[in-house]
Amino acid sequence: MIYIIFPILALIHLGVLFLGTDIFLVRLISKIVPILYLIALSVGEGRWKTRAGIWLGIGLVFSLGGDTILAFPDKYFVFGLGSFLIAQVAYSVSFSWGNPVHFLRLIPYVIFGASYFYWLLPGIAPALTVPVAVYVSAICVMGWRSAAREVSSRDRWLGILGAISFIISDSIIALGQFTPNKLPFHGVWVMSTYYLAQFLIYLSQEEEE
């Protein structure tokens, strides 16, 4: 059912964004329901019975927190960033549990993270320089840990594609936040890649229950 219900819930919010409704509760509720569904599914499927599943659940909960906080004015941006930072750490731990290190697989993520941060740096307020650097590091580590898993080819690629989708989503957010190069339908691009990331990451751990 996840293959039907989650995409429908995600498309409802994308439709709300595309139509540009100004009703705050409609935007907020439609935004958080897909992640609430994954949290409920995680509990119902007993993901909490494994260590990797527990950390996956923690990542979902703090993603929900970040979604909620970022629905409010920009002055709360740093708190939303903090909530998603914890989510990234949780996903990294979930991906890492019982898996090897594979330092070489870190290299492409380091190159991307350092390059993108350097490009964004002129537009980042001094007070946010360290928080943004820490967050970029965390999401790149999450991507690396998804690539370092010794699991089935299906689960590894779902995890890698999910992590890359998360990186793309956060990169689009940073593009709009710290540069004048905001994409048309910015919110639709952010949330479509974000929902795809959460969906793929969740699916990537189905065989580890």
Side-chain angles (χ1 to χ4, degrees):
M1 291 298 289
I2 185 175
Y3 293 96
I4 298 173
I5 295 176
F6 185 85
I8 289 173
L9 295 176
L11 284 171
I12 288 172
H13 180 63
L14 295 178
V16 168
L17 292 177
F18 185 78
L19 294 173
T21 179
D22 291 326
I23 304 173
F24 177 75
L25 281 179
V26 172
R27 292 172 68 95
L28 175 61
I29 292 171
S30 64
K31 182 182 185 182
I32 65 175
V33 164
I35 305 304
L36 281 171
Y37 170 70
L38 289 184
I39 292 171
L41 195 63
S42 176
V43 174
E45 291 179 342
R47 296 283 182 103
W48 51 271
K49 295 178 182 178
T50 68
R51 289 186 176 91
I54 289 171
W55 285 101
L56 173 68
I58 292 171
L60 287 170
V61 168
F62 278 95
S63 292
L64 177 66
D67 285 337
T68 304
I69 294 168
L70 292 180
F72 289 87
D74 280 352
K75 65 181 180 179
Y76 300 110
F77 177 76
V78 70
F79 298 104
L81 192 72
S83 190
F84 273 116
L85 174 62
I86 296 172
Q88 301 305 335
V89 171
Y91 286 145
S92 293
V93 175
S94 182
F95 284 143
S96 297
W97 209 271
N99 287 299
V101 176
H102 287 311
F103 279 119
L104 286 178
R105 298 183 189 182
L106 174 61
I107 293 173
Y109 296 97
V110 170
I111 293 171
F112 169 80
S115 301
Y116 198 69
F117 179 75
Y118 181 76
W119 183 63
L120 293 174
L121 192 56
I124 301 174
L128 287 177
T129 301
V130 172
V132 172
V134 170
Y135 187 83
V136 170
S137 299
I139 198 164
C140 288
V141 167
M142 190 268 289
W144 163 45
R145 296 315 302 151
S146 73
R149 297 163 74 204
E150 293 294 344
V151 291
S152 70
S153 178
R154 169 198 179 270
D155 280 2
R156 184 169 59 254
W157 278 107
L158 284 173
I160 290 171
L161 293 174
I164 290 173
S165 295
F166 225 134
I167 292 171
I168 292 172
S169 180
D170 284 339
S171 297
I172 296 171
I173 292 174
L175 188 72
Q177 192 77 22
F178 304 120
T179 80
N181 304 312
K182 201 168 187 176
L183 295 176
F185 299 106
H186 173 81
V188 175
W189 284 107
V190 168
M191 294 308 297
S192 58
T193 49
Y194 169 72
Y195 286 140
L196 178 62
Q198 296 283 20
F199 184 59
L200 294 177
I201 289 171
Y202 189 89
L203 293 178
S204 77
Q205 297 201 359
E206 280 188 329
E207 295 178 9
E208 295 182 42
E209 296 175 30

